[in-house]
Amino acid sequence: MTTRIGPKAQDYSVVAGSMGPRRDFRISVGLREGWDAEGRVFDVSEAVRTAHAWMRRRVEAGQPALSGMFTRAEVAYAWPRPDGTVGSDREPVALFTGEAVHAYLGHLSDDAIESMLNELAVELGAALGQERMYVTFTDRTWILDAGERSN
């Protein structure tokens, strides 16, 4: 019989420098390419590969990177049609969620975190053929849209 060797309850303590304001984030990116129901549907693993490549490039360049978790979900929505009826649909999405943990990213401003979120969201959108990505950070939310270009 083997004895479990690991920490006991009394071994835990708050890590010095780890306590700070909560700065959680989320990027929502569609997994179906384009607007048509027949568009290619990516697996969430493609979003993970894209994020890993982005993280590695940043760290190799001596820059901080966000870390988080991906989950697959479905967004459900409805809209009014011109004839007075209502349409509805659902689409697969990848959600990248996490926190700008104070112990690792506490020295960065909110603007710097927002910039990283936008950079990653754009890479995810381009890799997955998406026009829009939805981003939240702390108490703010915004949409990145590749379709609204100025000439």
Side-chain angles (χ1 to χ4, degrees):
M1 181 170 145
T2 60
T3 305
R4 181 178 167 258
I5 299 174
K8 297 174 183 64
Q10 63 270 21
D11 294 334
Y12 292 95
S13 63
V14 175
V15 173
S18 69
M19 193 172 293
R22 182 173 181 183
R23 299 192 298 169
D24 53 332
F25 60 80
R26 181 181 66 234
I27 298 172
S28 300
V29 59
L31 291 172
R32 183 184 302 142
E33 188 172 34
W35 295 98
D36 297 329
E38 296 79 33
R40 175 183 173 192
V41 176
F42 291 92
D43 186 80
V44 72
S45 64
E46 184 62 32
V48 173
R49 277 191 293 278
T50 301
H52 273 152
W54 174 83
M55 292 172 194
R56 280 192 303 269
R57 282 194 314 276
R58 287 191 61 90
V59 172
E60 286 169 354
Q63 298 175 317
L66 300 169
S67 60
M69 64 183 142
F70 275 96
T71 54
R72 188 185 188 285
E74 290 200 5
V75 62
Y77 54 94
W79 67 93
R81 292 182 173 139
D83 65 3
T85 63
V86 174
S88 65
D89 204 352
R90 65 187 209 189
E91 294 187 31
V93 296
L95 301 176
F96 180 67
T97 59
E99 293 184 32
V101 178
H102 188 73
Y104 310 118
L105 302 174
H107 64 287
L108 296 176
S109 68
D110 283 358
D111 287 344
I113 301 296
E114 286 177 19
S115 179
M116 281 195 288
L117 286 166
N118 288 339
E119 187 179 304
L120 177 55
V122 165
E123 289 210 19
L124 289 166
L128 302 174
Q130 298 302 304
E131 240 179 69
R132 283 193 164 182
M133 284 74 55
Y134 298 82
V135 184
T136 64
F137 178 55
T138 63
D139 61 347
R140 293 180 301 281
T141 183
W142 61 95
I143 300 170
L144 295 172
D145 190 318
E148 296 182 8
R149 297 175 201 67
S150 58
N151 294 333

